[in-house]
Amino acid sequence: MKIPNMLDAKKRNKNEVKYTEYNVDFNNFGENKKFYVRTYGCQMNEHDSEKIKGMLSSVGFKSAEDINDADVIILNTCAIRENAHDKVFGFLGVLKHMKQSNKNLIIGLCGCMAQEEGVVDEILAKHKYVNFVFGTHNLHRLPNLIKENMDTDKQVIEVYSKEGNLIEGMPVKRASNYKAYVNIIYGCDKFCTYCIVPYTRGKQRSRNKDDILKEVNKLVKEGYQEVTLLGQNVNAYGKDLNLGYDLADLLEEVAKTNIPRVRFITSHPWDFTDRMIEVIKKYPNIMNYVHLPIQSGSDKILKLMGRRYTREEYKTLFDKLKKIDGIAITTDIIVGFPGETEEDFLDTLDIVKYCQYDGAFTFIYSPRVGTPAAKLFEKDQTTLEEKEQRLYRLNELINDYSLMSNKRMVNNTYKILVEGLSNKDGMMYGYTETNKLVNFKGNEDLIGKIVNIRIIDAKSFSLDGELVE
Ligand code: SAM
Ligand code: SF4
């Protein structure tokens, strides 16, 4: 049994990253069995789930449409805020009941929550029916761990605190035939004081550019229309490799593969260079959309958060990005960070008014065990009610600006990549180059194609359009 430790997870070593090819030396043990994967959290987790599905398919498992038909259920979890944690433990209760009527059901838990000491302790003490637990550093070991559980009928816990080799060539079962995620960098070394990611995902490790380009070229051959380069902080790409090759170089080479659309998330303002901006401007197939989390508009709070930029520095970068033709910029904001006063919060509203974001993900600060801000939280004076009020006020402002920016699009025509049937009857949906959701009347033949859509109506979170022949 291997259980995680937060202190070990925090340590950083200078060891060079080693690359290993994925290899499983047994096959088809999953024949006649079905899996169901439930994913919580960010795009990184969504893509990890695509690898989980790929690995299971490669050893004979089939995908279950309905969770009730599954022989193996895997929860790929998120640890970023307490509510994500509560959802998972709530759902484990449901699975416990399912297992009472189906003794052979295999339940697995993985992802960022599995990297938390407290969670593994809780599973060991109170959730014996969970068959196996594995972490973010040994995703590739999934087939081995399920097999071990099936062979021994014993609970298998294998979570490493430290990252190991970077595994290339893992099988992937992608959710879409048109847009794909491609990891470019794993982990994070920023250690923002509120954030658990540097502990759950390990040190910053870039993939080799040749492996990334090989993957993108394969996607181009398969007819993919869009790639999203993924990382907790993609702008730090290459820093750990010391080859003088950074995100600007990589974006340029990915653009040259001629894939119609290139996206990248998430950007930390600290590592955004002028050259990266120039490359985005230069290549029409690099989308004019940047997600640039600010977190707070108060210099005092930014410092306590360990974000390493001031509001003025952020505004300078923002202004440079705004010069990119037609660009949309979105952000992340945390309210109620320990010590945030009404004045600090007004600074946040003020910078939102300055930036007039196209959209934002907004959160109430959630203390995470083992992070520095959790200690500040113990002395925090602001009530939850005040924080909820702040979130409400912030969201009202954010929504006003989203609506305003969407309204400016009405009567203009944009290229959208059609993704599928929308919830509405007979309506299709897709995204603009600036990542705005558009619903329009069309037929299913258009799925996977880039079409021209004239915008006829705007809401805060979506647009209505019509097909332009
Ligand atoms: N690496 C990305 C970055 O730095 O922008 C995103 C990391 S995280 C998955 C996404 C967002 O969750 C963060 O930008 C932050 O706003 C929010 N977040 C992280 N830790 C949080 C916490 N303890 N409480 C509330 N929100 C948090
Ligand atoms: Fe967390 Fe900060 Fe790293 Fe983003 S940059 S993952 S917020 S520590």
Side-chain angles (χ1 to χ4, degrees):
M1 188 189 320
K2 284 264 180 278
I3 58 173
N5 174 290
M6 280 289 267
L7 286 175
D8 283 343
K10 189 178 177 180
K11 288 181 197 147
R12 290 296 184 263
N13 60 50
K14 294 248 183 289
N15 301 350
E16 212 175 284
V17 175
K18 293 201 172 67
Y19 300 83
T20 312
E21 276 300 308
Y22 176 77
N23 179 29
V24 169
D25 53 9
F26 41 82
N27 50 35
N28 275 349
F29 76 91
E31 222 173 4
N32 306 321
K33 289 198 164 48
K34 287 186 176 172
F35 65 81
Y36 188 93
V37 182
R38 193 170 168 124
T39 312
Y40 300 81
C42 66
Q43 291 91 345
M44 207 78 64
N45 267 14
E46 281 176 32
H47 189 38
D48 280 351
S49 286
E50 293 182 331
K51 293 178 186 171
I52 289 173
K53 292 173 189 176
M55 285 185 283
L56 293 179
S57 303
S58 77
V59 289
F61 287 90
K62 296 265 180 309
S63 171
E65 292 287 314
D66 187 322
I67 193 165
N68 294 303
D69 297 335
D71 303 284
V72 179
I73 298 173
I74 297 181
L75 306 188
N76 186 8
T77 64
C78 169
I80 203 87
R81 283 168 291 274
E82 192 63 27
N83 57 359
H85 185 278
D86 295 345
K87 274 190 209 156
V88 168
F89 275 104
F91 195 63
L92 276 180
V94 175
L95 295 186
K96 186 179 179 183
H97 275 108
M98 279 175 75
K99 197 156 177 169
Q100 275 158 5
S101 52
N102 175 9
K103 292 265 177 291
N104 295 325
L105 180 65
I106 296 178
I107 300 169
L109 185 136
C110 67
C112 286
M113 265 174 69
Q115 292 292 143
E116 292 182 284
E117 257 167 88
V119 168
V120 173
D121 289 346
E122 200 171 333
I123 300 274
L124 282 167
K126 298 193 205 147
H127 302 275
K128 292 266 182 255
Y129 57 90
V130 173
N131 297 69
F132 62 94
V133 180
F134 62 104
T136 59
H137 301 315
N138 59 344
L139 192 72
H140 60 286
R141 294 257 308 142
L142 170 64
N144 304 64
L145 302 180
I146 298 192
K147 192 160 186 308
E148 185 181 331
N149 174 259
M150 282 161 89
D151 291 349
T152 64
D153 207 20
K154 290 208 175 90
Q155 190 177 50
V156 178
I157 310 266
E158 187 181 284
V159 183
Y160 293 92
S161 304
K162 301 223 67 68
E163 59 288 326
N165 293 355
L166 223 147
I167 312 295
E168 285 297 340
M170 279 166 71
V172 186
K173 200 166 188 281
R174 297 188 190 271
S176 161
N177 293 328
Y178 317 105
K179 45 195 268 184
Y181 290 127
V182 173
N183 291 117
I184 64 167
I185 181 166
Y186 299 94
C188 180
D189 286 348
K190 289 282 183 284
F191 285 100
C192 300
T193 59
Y194 51 81
C195 186
I196 197 149
V197 169
Y199 308 81
T200 59
R201 291 271 173 184
K203 79 169 181 179
Q204 203 165 274
R205 288 150 292 147
S206 299
R207 279 179 79 195
N208 276 322
K209 69 149 182 150
D210 292 342
D211 291 324
I212 297 169
L213 291 169
K214 194 168 120 193
E215 186 173 344
V216 175
N217 277 314
K218 184 165 175 270
L219 291 165
V220 174
K221 277 205 192 98
E222 289 167 1
Y224 275 81
Q225 300 293 304
E226 179 176 306
V227 287
T228 299
L229 308 182
L230 269 191
Q232 289 301 342
N233 172 18
V234 285
N235 295 58
Y237 174 77
K239 278 186 154 186
D240 53 308
L241 299 177
N242 292 318
L243 297 170
Y245 185 97
D246 67 5
L247 182 69
D249 302 301
L250 182 67
L251 274 177
E252 195 153 25
E253 285 204 73
V254 172
K256 283 180 182 163
T257 64
N258 287 329
I259 186 127
R261 290 180 162 204
V262 182
R263 298 188 186 281
F264 53 95
I265 42 171
T266 296
S267 295
H268 189 297
W270 191 23
D271 295 311
F272 224 123
T273 65
D274 288 352
R275 219 166 73 74
M276 289 171 194
I277 299 176
E278 288 315 308
V279 170
I280 299 169
K281 277 187 192 156
K282 186 171 162 194
Y283 292 89
N285 61 341
I286 302 179
M287 298 296 94
N288 48 0
Y289 166 68
V290 174
H291 185 63
L292 192 71
I294 182 160
Q295 312 299 357
S296 168
S298 151
D299 279 339
K300 180 191 99 189
I301 297 298
L302 285 172
K303 197 158 188 207
L304 287 172
M305 286 177 162
R307 287 292 287 182
R308 307 185 210 201
Y309 52 81
T310 62
R311 57 184 274 135
E312 281 312 311
E313 284 164 350
Y314 182 93
K315 278 159 92 176
T316 304
L317 172 63
F318 183 90
D319 290 343
K320 284 186 200 167
L321 285 167
K322 263 298 188 194
K323 293 205 178 90
I324 299 174
D325 205 20
I327 194 166
I329 302 179
T330 55
T331 199
D332 290 348
I333 299 175
I334 297 176
V335 300
F337 184 85
E340 184 191 73
T341 60
E342 175 66 15
E343 208 186 345
D344 295 316
F345 176 65
L346 291 176
D347 282 344
T348 297
L349 292 186
D350 184 64
I351 207 154
V352 168
K353 286 177 194 155
Y354 181 87
C355 296
Q356 305 195 4
Y357 293 108
D358 290 87
F361 296 108
T362 56
F363 314 100
I364 291 180
Y365 167 73
S366 173
R368 308 283 64 216
V369 176
T371 61
K375 292 200 184 71
L376 299 177
F377 182 73
E378 287 165 16
K379 294 179 229 124
D380 191 29
Q381 303 288 315
T382 316
T383 63
L384 179 61
E385 206 184 348
E386 277 173 275
K387 292 176 186 178
E388 283 168 349
Q389 270 300 316
R390 282 180 198 165
L391 185 68
Y392 179 81
R393 285 157 68 198
L394 174 64
N395 285 342
E396 292 276 286
L397 191 63
I398 295 281
N399 294 348
D400 285 350
Y401 286 119
S402 302
L403 184 59
M404 243 193 276
S405 101
N406 285 350
K407 277 190 170 160
R408 283 194 291 272
M409 296 171 72
V410 174
N411 287 328
N412 294 322
T413 299
Y414 297 90
K415 285 190 165 38
I416 80 155
L417 170 57
V418 186
E419 291 195 14
L421 278 171
S422 92
N423 300 333
K424 298 182 188 171
D425 291 339
M427 299 290 272
M428 309 296 294
Y429 77 95
Y431 286 86
T432 62
E433 299 195 332
T434 51
N435 210 31
K436 305 229 183 200
L437 173 62
V438 182
N439 293 298
F440 69 101
K441 245 197 189 89
N443 65 56
E444 291 182 40
D445 297 347
L446 298 176
I447 294 175
K449 299 206 166 77
I450 293 173
V451 296
N452 286 317
I453 299 285
R454 199 175 71 87
I455 302 301
I456 52 175
D457 195 14
K459 304 176 184 104
S460 283
F461 305 111
S462 68
L463 296 146
D464 290 336
E466 61 188 16
L467 194 61
V468 177
E469 295 301 334

